[in-house]
């Protein structure tokens, strides 16, 4: 990871006037399906055609991919449409087969990135390759684990590297399939500004109608590209049906996205400003999410108080909270006045919630 400028070379060499686009089905299902989607994506902004051949399924008994046979279909895609090809590899055998079939871009999936043994095996099998290799974030929000995987590949003399942000598993259900934890991706970008960073809004959202917004946020945060699962008949896809979009929907998404260029100083300034605003939006959403969570807990307390018939306001506990928050706020550079005003407002909302419950 020493020679950082080199990291961008493969992307800069493509000389794109739009973000890098990797699109295609979650899984290769049949030769006909693979070719049909590829032909519909020809002559669009799509640069790499993706299709999963070996599918890492969380539970057994689901469609696990067509295997090596699908690599032949991807070769046909390249021959018939000129699109470059991409697939996921998860062990040495996959790497060898993908290289034999001249796949142009290989990615390491989220469930593989968590395992240093597997990543090392893949890095060894790919040693010295000039193929593009992209590392998806691990399923858990662990930046060092993600960086470790990139370092293993870099140490194996793999120069055309990049990363894919596909969000992180959470125990609690959120509106996302995989929570984006944008701060983590921003931290990675700050550490390695020249490492191409691709967003995978399909696996982040799990729902096709959320893909546009997440893509726009990613571009506002200076991501270099998008990987979007695309299928000609999404509802009947053999995997990830809810999140795939049709080729024409993808074209519309690309058309409507605001893409910012960095060529002149004015644009660079606007870029920086939009990036910072996108960070503010991310944090604001987290604040709302947390406040909603806090009010749910307050509701539960309201139920308890109702059962036991105790008063809503417990001033001793409230004063303790306030004192503690003022001190913690001070450490973060927040004034006492602000902390008091904010917590009083939060407290009032909790009281309103609880009174509604107690009087119901
Ligand atoms: C995929 O891209 O199809 C895939 C399985 O993704 P992830 O590794 O992000 O779950
Ligand atoms: Mn998928």
């Amino acid at each position: 990871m020493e020679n950082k400028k080199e990291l961008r070379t493969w992307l800069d060499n493509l000389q794109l006037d739009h973000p890098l686009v990797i699109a295609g089905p979650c899984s290769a299902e049949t030769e006909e399906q693979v070719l049909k989607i590829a032909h519909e994506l020809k002559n669009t902004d799509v640069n790499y055609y993706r299709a999963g051949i070996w599918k890492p399924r969380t539970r057994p008994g689901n469609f696990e991919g067509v295997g090596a046979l699908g690599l032949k279909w991807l070769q046909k895609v390249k021959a018939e449409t000129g699109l470059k090809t991409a697939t996921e590899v998860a062990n040495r055998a996959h790497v060898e087969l993908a290289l034999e079939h001249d796949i142009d871009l290989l990615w390491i999936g989220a469930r593989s990135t968590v395992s240093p043994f597997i990543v090392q095996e893949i890095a060894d099998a790919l040693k010295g390759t000039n193929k593009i290799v992209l590392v998806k974030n691990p399923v858990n929000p662990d930046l060092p684990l993600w960086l470790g995987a990139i370092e293993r590949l870099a140490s194996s003399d793999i120069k055309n590297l990049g990363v894919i942000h596909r969000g992180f598993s959470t125990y609690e259900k959120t509106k996302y399939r995989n929570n984006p934890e944008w701060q983590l991706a921003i931290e990675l970008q700050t550490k390695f500004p020249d490492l191409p960073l691709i967003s995978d809004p399909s696996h982040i959202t799990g729902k096709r109608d959320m893909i546009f917004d997440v893509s726009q946020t990613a571009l506002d945060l200076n991501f270099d590209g998008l990987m979007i699962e695309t299928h000609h008949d999404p509802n009947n896809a053999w995997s990830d049906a809810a999140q795939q979009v049709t080729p024409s929907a993808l074209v519309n998404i690309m058309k409507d996205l605001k893409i910012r260029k960095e060529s002149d100083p004015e644009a660079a300034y606007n870029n920086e400003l939009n990036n910072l605003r996108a960070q503010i939006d991310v944090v604001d959403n987290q604040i709302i999410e947390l406040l909603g969570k806090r009010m749910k807990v307050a509701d539960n307390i309201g139920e308890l108080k109702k059962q036991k018939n105790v008063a809503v306001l417990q001033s001793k506990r409230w004063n303790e909270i306030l004192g503690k928050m003022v001190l913690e706020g001070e450490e973060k550079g927040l004034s006492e006045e602000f902390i008091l005003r904010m917590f009083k407002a939060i407290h009032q909302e909790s009281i309103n919630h609880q009174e509604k419950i107690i009087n119901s």
Side-chain angles (χ1 to χ4, degrees):
M1 301 293 282
E2 296 293 308
N3 207 346
K4 286 193 208 146
K5 275 287 168 210
E6 246 181 37
L7 293 169
R8 282 203 73 79
T9 314
W10 68 267
L11 184 59
D12 291 340
N13 284 348
L14 292 173
Q15 298 195 318
L16 304 176
D17 60 358
H18 57 76
L20 179 81
V21 185
I22 304 168
C26 177
S27 303
E29 298 164 5
T30 64
E31 178 172 343
E32 198 192 11
Q33 170 248 14
V34 167
L35 287 168
K36 183 171 173 55
I37 300 166
H39 277 280
E40 290 183 27
L41 291 175
K42 182 177 65 178
N43 305 324
T44 66
D45 283 349
V46 175
N47 306 105
Y48 286 86
Y49 185 77
R50 66 151 281 157
I53 300 294
W54 301 284
K55 300 303 298 177
R57 304 313 296 269
T58 303
R59 309 282 298 268
N62 295 309
F63 172 60
E64 297 198 328
V66 294
L69 172 66
L71 296 169
K72 300 250 186 284
W73 306 340
L74 286 176
Q75 281 186 302
K76 268 203 175 170
V77 164
K78 190 155 39 172
E80 288 187 18
T81 67
L83 285 167
K84 296 199 192 101
T85 52
T87 202
E88 173 178 348
V89 288
N91 59 36
R92 172 180 287 278
H94 295 168
V95 169
E96 286 168 357
L97 283 162
L99 293 179
E100 263 168 43
H101 290 80
D102 204 27
I103 301 297
D104 302 290
L105 181 157
L106 314 178
W107 81 84
I108 299 182
R111 292 165 194 77
S112 301
T113 308
V114 288
S115 164
F117 289 126
I118 279 295
V119 173
Q120 191 59 53
E121 177 178 320
I122 295 171
D124 291 342
L126 280 168
K127 198 168 181 55
T129 185
N130 50 23
K131 300 286 184 191
I132 295 161
V133 182
L134 305 181
V135 189
K136 285 201 172 193
N137 64 257
V139 282
N140 54 327
D142 184 339
L143 184 56
L145 194 56
W146 198 2
L147 291 175
I150 301 160
E151 283 159 3
R152 283 176 199 278
L153 294 166
S155 302
S156 225
D157 201 25
I158 298 161
K159 293 199 183 59
N160 300 324
L161 281 175
V163 290
I164 303 174
H165 170 237
R166 51 76 85 194
F168 302 88
S169 292
T170 49
Y171 171 64
E172 230 171 298
K173 287 236 170 309
T174 73
K175 66 175 175 171
Y176 299 104
R177 178 178 178 195
N178 292 292
N179 197 351
E181 306 281 9
W182 293 105
Q183 299 304 334
L184 202 147
I186 292 165
E187 200 181 326
L188 178 85
Q189 196 182 45
T190 312
K191 280 204 168 92
F192 298 103
D194 293 311
L195 185 64
L197 173 60
I198 317 295
S199 173
D200 174 349
S202 307
H203 290 93
I204 289 177
T205 63
K207 287 181 219 69
R208 58 184 141 266
D209 60 359
M210 288 169 69
I211 285 178
F212 179 84
D213 284 347
V214 166
S215 301
Q216 187 63 66
T217 300
L219 295 185
D220 291 342
L221 291 169
N222 287 337
F223 277 55
D224 299 289
L226 300 167
M227 182 193 251
I228 299 182
E229 288 187 340
T230 312
H231 194 290
H232 66 286
D233 183 10
N235 284 330
N236 291 306
W238 297 3
S239 58
D240 288 352
Q243 72 193 30
Q244 302 204 56
V245 297
T246 60
S248 66
L250 176 71
V251 167
N252 284 330
I253 289 173
M254 293 311 298
K255 188 166 64 66
D256 293 342
L257 285 172
K258 286 197 196 67
I259 295 158
R260 297 173 179 97
K261 295 185 185 146
E262 267 187 83
S263 44
D264 64 88
E266 180 70 7
Y269 160 81
N270 282 327
N271 248 2
E272 186 61 26
L273 191 64
N274 282 323
N275 179 302
L276 293 171
R277 284 185 173 150
Q279 293 191 38
I280 292 272
D281 290 349
V282 166
V283 177
D284 282 348
N285 279 329
Q286 289 169 337
I287 292 174
I288 296 286
E289 194 85 16
L290 282 175
L291 286 174
K293 226 186 251 180
R294 193 189 191 283
M295 288 310 150
K296 284 225 173 70
V297 179
D299 288 347
N300 291 339
I301 293 180
E303 295 286 355
L304 262 184
K305 285 178 180 166
K306 182 177 183 175
Q307 280 170 25
K308 296 283 170 211
N309 202 20
V310 291
V312 165
L313 185 62
Q314 311 265 308
S315 24
K316 182 161 164 281
R317 157 136 177 97
W318 173 237
N319 285 329
E320 277 169 18
I321 294 182
L322 265 190
K324 220 168 79 187
M325 288 304 122
V326 166
L327 287 178
E328 297 213 354
E330 212 169 79
E331 270 176 37
K332 302 260 185 282
L334 304 171
S335 71
E336 176 171 345
E337 190 210 348
F338 169 68
I339 293 287
L340 290 177
R341 260 198 291 153
M342 181 182 68
F343 272 96
K344 279 184 184 151
I346 292 175
H347 190 227
Q348 188 56 54
E349 182 70 8
S350 284
I351 290 177
N352 296 349
H353 269 239
Q354 295 191 5
E355 283 199 322
K356 215 189 260 165
I357 287 172
I358 286 176
N359 298 324
S360 70

